[in-house]
Amino acid sequence: MKRLPLINTQFTLFGGHMETVPPGWHWKPEAHLAFELMYIVSGTQRTTSEIGELVTHAGEFIIIPPGIRHNNFVVGDQPLDYFAIHFNLDDPSFKYMLTREYANQIVRPDWAVYADLKACTTELITLFSTKYGLTDKLNIEMNTIKLIMILLEAVQTQAQFSFDETNPDQFLLCTKLASDLKQQVDNQIYYGEHPTHISIAAVARRYNISQSYALELFKKYYGESPQSYLITLKLEVGKKLLRQPKMQVKQVAERLAYADASHFGREFKKHFGLSPREYAQQNR
C-alpha cells in the first residue's frame, strides 16, 4: 500500500505590510518570533543586526531569521518604500536551511531564485485589501507557502544539507560568534591604535559558553576551528593592506598583531601560495 506521510507541521503567517517612510526614519531594535522577508520597492535601507550589516537597494530582498535583534534605517535623502512579511514553520530543517542560506545575505537580481521570488512577492502585494474574507485569507496563505517553497527549492538545488542533527539555534549562535570575531578584526585593523591578541575564549564567554563548545559549533557548521577561521579573516585583511602602495610587510604583520613578520609570512604563504612580498609585487 502506498501512503502519503503524516504531516503535522504548523505554518504561521504573522502578517505583512507595505509602508513608505521618510528620509531619516529608523525603527527601534527588535527581534521577531518568525522569519521576516523584506523587499525594497524604492529607496535604500541599512539593516544592522547581531550577525552583520546590510545595505539593501530598490529591487532587492533580505530575510531576517527569528530571534535576530535588528534595526532598520533609511539611507540617503529619498523616501523608502518597502514590503515586509513575517512567516514561520515549526520544522527545524526549514529554519536551518533558510537561516544558513539567507541570513545576512542580499537576494539580488542575479540570484537564481530572484525572478520567482519577485513574482510571488508581487502577487502577495496585489492581495492587500481593507477587508479579508476566508477565500482571501486562503489565497494569501497559499501564496506565502509558495514563496517558502521557492526559497527552499533554491537551497536544495544549490547545496546538499544533512538534517540529522540540524539545530537552527546552534547555527545562529555559531554565526554570532563568527560575526563577533570579524567585528573585532575590523575594529583592530581600522580603529585600534595598538593591535592586541583576539581571544577566542573571551568571545565565547560573552555568549556564556565554553571555548570547547565554541570549537564544537565551528567544526559542525563551518568545518574548521574558531582559531582557523580567525586566521583566515586576518589574512584576507592582510591581502587588502598589502595592495596599498608603500605598505611594508612588517607594518601589515604589526597591524594584524603577529609577533613578527616571519610568522605572518609563513601563514600567508601557507594559505595563498605566495609570500606577502610576492603578493604585493603582483597586486600593486
Side-chain angles (χ1 to χ4, degrees):
M1 181 192 308
K2 294 182 179 179
R3 297 189 181 193
L4 291 171
L6 171 63
I7 301 174
N8 189 28
T9 299
Q10 179 67 43
F11 162 76
T12 308
L13 174 61
F14 292 86
H17 64 279
M18 281 195 69
E19 190 171 359
T20 300
V21 292
W25 172 91
H26 75 276
W27 190 250
K28 63 182 183 298
E30 61 181 349
H32 303 301
L33 297 175
F35 284 93
E36 179 179 17
L37 179 142
M38 298 191 73
Y39 173 64
I40 306 303
V41 179
S42 65
T44 304
Q45 174 178 276
R46 178 168 64 93
T47 302
T48 61
S49 75
E50 301 170 279
I51 56 174
E53 179 174 310
L54 299 171
V55 176
T56 318
H57 302 283
E60 298 176 339
F61 294 86
I62 59 172
I63 299 173
I64 303 170
I68 292 296
R69 194 168 180 80
H70 61 282
N71 197 359
N72 294 321
F73 303 82
V74 175
V75 177
D77 57 3
Q78 299 297 317
L80 172 73
D81 292 301
Y82 72 92
F83 165 77
I85 190 170
H86 303 262
F87 57 86
N88 213 353
L89 286 176
D90 63 349
D91 181 276
S93 299
F94 162 78
K95 293 179 180 178
Y96 176 68
M97 281 195 292
L98 256 63
T99 299
R100 175 163 176 167
E101 185 68 13
Y102 298 106
N104 207 38
Q105 297 284 343
I106 297 173
V107 180
R108 297 186 170 94
D110 60 346
W111 281 45
V113 71
Y114 181 86
D116 289 339
L117 184 61
K118 184 175 179 180
C120 190
T121 300
T122 302
E123 179 65 24
L124 279 168
I125 290 173
T126 67
L127 297 174
F128 274 96
S129 179
T130 56
K131 188 176 181 181
Y132 298 99
L134 178 59
T135 302
D136 301 315
K137 292 178 181 179
L138 288 174
N139 200 7
I140 291 169
E141 181 174 346
M142 286 189 296
N143 274 276
T144 304
I145 292 174
K146 180 182 177 182
L147 182 148
I148 292 171
M149 286 293 295
I150 289 168
L151 294 171
L152 292 181
E153 286 174 353
V155 174
Q156 291 175 318
T157 299
Q158 296 167 17
Q160 294 298 317
F161 292 98
S162 171
F163 307 121
D164 294 339
E165 297 180 4
T166 55
N167 187 319
D169 294 329
Q170 279 188 347
F171 179 70
L172 275 177
L173 175 56
C174 189
T175 302
K176 291 178 184 179
L177 291 168
S179 179
D180 195 317
L181 288 173
K182 185 179 186 305
Q183 188 65 49
Q184 288 202 49
V185 170
D186 289 344
N187 288 338
Q188 179 170 284
I189 297 302
Y190 300 110
Y191 302 109
E193 295 182 9
H194 305 288
T196 56
H197 172 70
I198 296 174
S199 168
I200 304 294
V203 172
R205 283 196 297 272
R206 273 200 290 276
Y207 295 90
N208 299 312
I209 63 173
S210 66
Q211 189 171 353
S212 61
Y213 186 55
L215 173 62
E216 179 183 330
L217 289 177
F218 266 80
K219 286 287 190 180
K220 181 175 181 178
Y221 293 109
Y222 285 79
E224 61 182 333
S225 69
Q227 187 63 36
S228 176
Y229 182 83
L230 176 59
I231 290 171
T232 300
L233 287 176
K234 292 170 67 174
L235 293 177
E236 287 294 340
V237 173
K239 288 169 70 175
K240 295 179 182 179
L241 295 175
L242 287 167
R243 290 197 292 267
Q244 296 182 13
K246 299 182 180 180
M247 180 66 76
Q248 301 297 314
V249 174
K250 182 179 179 181
Q251 292 175 293
V252 176
E254 289 173 351
R255 292 278 291 276
L256 295 172
Y258 278 92
D260 52 59
S262 61
H263 183 201
F264 167 62
R266 288 193 299 272
E267 285 201 336
F268 192 94
K269 188 165 186 176
K270 179 180 177 181
H271 273 71
F272 304 120
L274 295 172
S275 71
R277 193 176 308 279
E278 289 168 336
Y279 179 83
Q281 290 172 348
Q282 293 182 17
N283 291 275
R284 287 181 181 173

